[in-house]
Structure formats: C-alpha cells, structure tokens
Amino acid sequence: MDKTNEDYMEPVNVYVVVFREGALSFTFCNSPHGANVRRRIGKLRDDISNSLSSDWICYAMIDDIVDSFGPVIHEIERETDMIEDSVFVARAIDRGALLRQIGECRKKVMGLMRLLGGK
C-alpha cells in the first residue's frame, strides 16, 4: 500500500467464510490479499495439489495479512535504531529534531498497535 495514501495504516476488515468446498473472502475496500493468495496458489500448484483445501486457503489469507505488517515493522525498527544512535551523539541544539523523530516513530508504533489490537 502507498505510504502517502490517506488510508495507509487504517484498519481494514477482512472476512473469510470457510466451507468444505472452498473459501469466500470479502472486504469493503480494495485489498491485495486475495490476489496474493491466488498468485501463491499458482506458483505452488504442483507442490500443494494434494494439500490444497479451503482451510489452507484461509491460512494463506491470514498469512498474507500478517506478512503485510513486515515492512512497517522493519521501518519502525530502522527508525528506532537511528534514534538510538542519535541519542548518543546529539548536541543540545539537536534535541528538537530528535524529539520530532521520537514523536513520529511513536505515532507509527501506536498506529500499528491499534491495527493489531484485539487480533
């Protein structure tokens, strides 16, 4: 998802109904997860042909959703490392910029916690 989009880091409800014969998923906004799962099935068709089930499709959907948090978590980790390094070399006049960095990183962490809350 585009970081400049106003819906970036906004919660999205994904509903998956699992039947014996298949799985039905839907959201009320655009979501790449269904297409990612179909692409994954296409790539792994030969390897998973015996184990492909509606349960596996549901698992793959959940796995793709969880994986989508990876880039955000890595970005926050990188930012916290930069802040930590800056703390040890910051001069008194650099504190304002450092506090802004901490505030921005805190906003991202709180947004991520809001998204993952109750999951």
Side-chain angles (χ1 to χ4, degrees), residues 83-90 98:
I83 291 169
E84 184 179 1
D85 292 343
S86 298
V87 165
F88 296 116
V89 297
L98 188 58

Side-chain angles (χ1 to χ4, degrees), residues 101-115:
Q101 279 184 307
I102 292 169
E104 288 299 317
C105 192
R106 181 186 172 280
K107 285 180 188 176
K108 289 179 185 174
V109 169
M110 296 306 292
L112 194 59
M113 288 176 62
R114 182 175 44 86
L115 288 173

